[in-house]
Amino acid sequence: MKLFEHKPFDARAVMGFGILNGISIGLLNLSLGFNSVGFYQMTKLAIIPCTVLLETLFFRKKFSRNIQLSLGILLLGVGIATVTDLQLNFLGSILSLLAIVTTCVAQIMTNTIQKKFKVSSTQLLYQSCPYQALTLFIVGPFLDGLLTNQNVFAFKYTPQVLFFIVLSCMISVSVNFSTFMVIGKTSPVTYQVLGHLKTCLVLAFGYILLRDPFSWRNILGILIAVVGMVLYSYCSILENQQQKPSEVSAQLPQAKESESDVLISMDNGSGRLSDGSVPKSPPVWKSDKDLQA
């Protein structure tokens, strides 16, 4: 449909990213299947501090105290609102730990690859989706049969089931687009903050539309989480505004140095620029007398 330009780049990076992304999706689903809802929410909460830790250790990224404080308030609020029971089991704990690590690495790679190879979120999604789909298609049915003793291909697929599967896939594609765009334009931590905002909205809409049971603990947790989100947004915008003048001031000396190099080479009488090329002289128009002479 020519909505974006096809841009192939490093095949190894795309393949590794696609496979890792597929594995992280499968592990998150397995974690939800083998753990209680409360423990699964704890797994999602652990993704933010894990992402901060990995970016600090391997990318030397610094998070200010204000950012750390706002993230702490956010996690506290979401924990109060969502975490209810913590039923631990060995297999579920291992799956949750693997899901946290693979999800953090995949989201960091989403941001890093887009900036390194200068590709858009749509271009990266287009390149990596075949590897991601192939990974899930091969590993998914095998793990289902191993862990649940059920064969996904033996299920009776009625038209109603197929409709909801297709609908789910269409929604999933839109989620993938938004995920890649948000991470590419901002950061993995910001995406996780939006994810917890989604959790709070799910609780609120569940109460408003479906009349789900709602307690003062849920309300208190959501309010604390919203305060943390507002603080995080404010601190992030403030830090970005402070970084822009410093980046501009750092680029100005480089521009002045390049201009001075050109002037020095012209003053030397060589008639050549610093890169060795001869500057183009403006055209000289001759009069009729010059032509006759």
Side-chain angles (χ1 to χ4, degrees):
M1 297 176 66
K2 297 182 179 180
L3 294 177
F4 65 94
E5 180 185 359
H6 172 55
K7 185 178 180 181
F9 52 99
D10 192 346
R12 292 183 178 179
V14 174
M15 183 184 298
F17 169 73
I19 294 174
L20 182 64
N21 213 16
I23 292 174
S24 69
I25 293 173
L27 287 172
L28 281 172
N29 284 316
L30 286 172
S31 174
L32 180 59
F34 285 87
N35 290 306
S36 63
V37 176
F39 191 80
Y40 176 73
Q41 292 297 335
M42 286 294 296
T43 300
K44 292 177 64 177
L45 290 177
I47 292 176
I48 283 185
C50 182
T51 304
V52 171
L53 178 63
L54 291 177
E55 289 194 317
T56 303
L57 292 177
F58 295 101
F59 294 93
R60 305 298 180 185
K61 187 174 181 180
K62 295 182 179 179
F63 295 88
S64 64
R65 290 185 177 180
N66 292 332
I67 292 291
Q68 295 176 9
L69 177 62
S70 62
L71 290 176
I73 295 174
L74 166 66
L75 295 176
L76 176 64
V78 176
I80 293 174
T82 60
V83 177
T84 53
D85 57 327
L86 294 177
Q87 299 176 5
L88 301 178
N89 63 84
F90 179 75
L91 179 59
S93 301
I94 296 296
L95 292 173
S96 295
L97 180 62
L98 293 175
I100 292 170
V101 175
T102 54
T103 302
C104 292
V105 175
Q107 291 178 1
I108 292 174
M109 286 181 66
T110 302
N111 182 269
T112 305
I113 290 177
Q114 289 187 53
K115 293 181 178 179
K116 181 179 179 180
F117 297 103
K118 293 180 173 56
V119 293
S120 66
S121 57
T122 312
Q123 290 168 332
L124 176 59
L125 187 63
Y126 176 80
Q127 293 288 335
S128 61
C129 261
Y131 301 105
Q132 178 179 326
L134 186 62
T135 301
L136 290 171
F137 184 76
I138 294 175
V139 178
F142 171 75
L143 285 179
D144 277 343
L146 180 65
L147 299 175
T148 64
N149 294 323
Q150 294 180 355
N151 186 2
V152 67
F153 300 108
F155 184 80
K156 185 179 180 181
Y157 292 95
T158 62
Q160 184 179 9
V161 171
L162 291 176
F163 168 78
F164 281 106
I165 289 177
V166 173
L167 179 63
S168 175
C169 290
M170 294 174 63
I171 295 173
S172 179
V173 170
S174 64
V175 170
N176 278 335
F177 273 115
S178 63
T179 298
F180 279 57
M181 289 179 65
V182 169
I183 296 178
K185 295 293 184 182
T186 56
S187 69
V189 175
T190 301
Y191 170 73
Q192 288 299 324
V193 171
L194 285 176
H196 291 307
L197 173 61
K198 175 197 68 176
T199 302
C200 294
L201 290 175
V202 167
L203 291 174
F205 281 113
Y207 173 73
I208 296 173
L209 300 177
L210 304 177
R211 298 299 177 185
D212 288 340
F214 215 64
S215 64
W216 285 104
R217 175 181 173 178
N218 299 126
I219 298 175
L220 177 63
I222 290 176
L223 291 177
I224 295 175
V226 169
V227 170
M229 293 173 198
V230 172
L231 287 176
Y232 176 80
S233 301
Y234 175 76
C235 295
S236 297
I237 294 173
L238 196 62
E239 291 183 5
N240 289 333
Q241 291 176 347
Q242 292 175 352
Q243 287 177 358
K244 287 182 179 179
S246 62
E247 292 176 357
V248 173
S249 61
Q251 293 175 356
L252 285 176
Q254 297 177 358
K256 290 181 179 179
E257 287 178 2
S258 61
E259 291 177 0
S260 63
D261 291 340
V262 174
L263 293 175
I264 290 173
S265 63
M266 296 297 291
D267 290 339
N268 289 337
S270 62
R272 293 181 178 274
L273 299 176
S274 59
D275 60 356
S277 60
V278 179
K280 294 182 179 179
S281 58
V284 179
W285 297 98
K286 295 183 179 181
S287 62
D288 292 339
K289 294 181 179 180
D290 294 332
L291 292 174
Q292 293 174 1

